[in-house]
Amino acid sequence: MLLPGLLYFLVFHYIPIYGVVLAFKNFKIMQGIMASPWVGFDHFEKVFADPNFYRVLNNTLIISLYKIVFAFPIPIIFALLLSEITRERFKKLVQTISYLPHFMSWVILAGIFISIFSLNGPMNAIVKLFGGDPVLFMADDRYFRSILVLTDIYQGFGWGSIVYFAAIAGIDPQLQEAAIMDGANRFKRIIYITLPMLLPVISIMLILRMAHVLDAGFDQIFNMYNPKVYGVSDILDTFVYRKGLLETNYSYATAVGLFKSVVALVLIVLVNKAVHMMGGKDHTLW
């Protein structure tokens, strides 16, 4: 049963590591990867000397941190609230509906959101209702990042809550019963029983999320952004896409991608170590 999953990681994650050597070569497509000449760290020097790199790095960090601050807590809150519902049929219905956006491609979701925020869409209809002038939300620097965060929450909060539902289901019901006997209301039971029992899971999920701090969501941004908002939405992944596939500068793009991977490794090790030093030995990956 594990074989399909192992094959997936082998074919799409481990074998492609071979291509990392492109970051240290002046790749010539007619010569192939191994026959192309070595250039050492030349491409990394070009990357760190490129002002556009720092612009997209800044955008990536800002968008990613926005998503961590505003999107990370939502699945936890949703799981806590839904776990308090006693009607099982209603709870399952809400769960199923919340999962659906996760299974929709960003190509579809982007089309829906572009229509919603268009000049003739529902959002501008509300703006007009209150006497305002129509706004090009998807082409306005002031709103685009907020739209990215909100749509990311919509797409992922239901699916992200599954692990928290599982953790809540594993809490000993005798703890809840004892708290009820002591007169604790629902809010106090959440604060003093459910949340403390969820801390190990929350800590591990946060550590894993920090490893993706330079992944601001390529699929989402690529399908939703436009040249008008490049200044606030162009991220490392879209930058690599243009440099590698559109400009065929494969070695430069590989150097940027390798930089991302190294930063992700360093972050996950540092955050895991920090949590361990703060006394959360049971809340870390290793």
Side-chain angles (χ1 to χ4, degrees), residues 34-171:
M34 297 311 296
S36 296
W38 291 93
V39 293
F41 290 94
D42 285 3
H43 296 299
F44 291 94
E45 292 175 2
K46 292 177 182 177
V47 168
F48 295 125
D50 187 350
N52 289 323
F53 169 75
Y54 294 99
R55 175 179 58 83
V56 298
L57 178 61
N58 181 61
N59 288 337
T60 304
L61 290 172
I62 291 174
I63 294 172
S64 187
L65 290 175
Y66 279 174
K67 289 182 176 181
I68 291 174
V69 172
F70 296 106
F72 183 80
I74 299 300
I76 303 170
I77 297 170
F78 178 68
L80 290 171
L81 294 176
L82 204 58
S83 66
E84 294 299 317
I85 296 175
T86 55
R87 295 185 179 181
E88 289 298 323
R89 291 183 64 182
F90 178 72
K91 183 190 292 187
K92 290 179 180 178
L93 176 64
V94 173
Q95 280 183 279
T96 303
I97 293 173
S98 70
Y99 298 161
L100 289 178
H102 173 79
F103 296 99
M104 297 175 67
S105 166
W106 270 113
V107 176
I108 298 171
L109 289 174
I112 294 172
F113 292 130
I114 289 171
S115 298
I116 290 173
F117 291 102
S118 66
L119 282 176
N120 298 316
M123 287 302 299
N124 270 309
I126 296 172
V127 171
K128 292 176 184 177
L129 186 66
F130 285 93
D133 296 323
V135 179
L136 279 169
F137 289 103
M138 301 300 290
D140 195 320
D141 291 353
R142 296 172 298 172
Y143 303 108
F144 192 76
R145 284 175 178 165
S146 299
I147 292 172
L148 288 178
V149 174
L150 289 173
T151 53
D152 182 71
I153 291 172
Y154 170 78
Q155 194 262 354
F157 81 96
W159 184 257
S161 66
I162 291 177
V163 66
Y164 302 111
F165 279 125
I168 291 172
I171 297 175

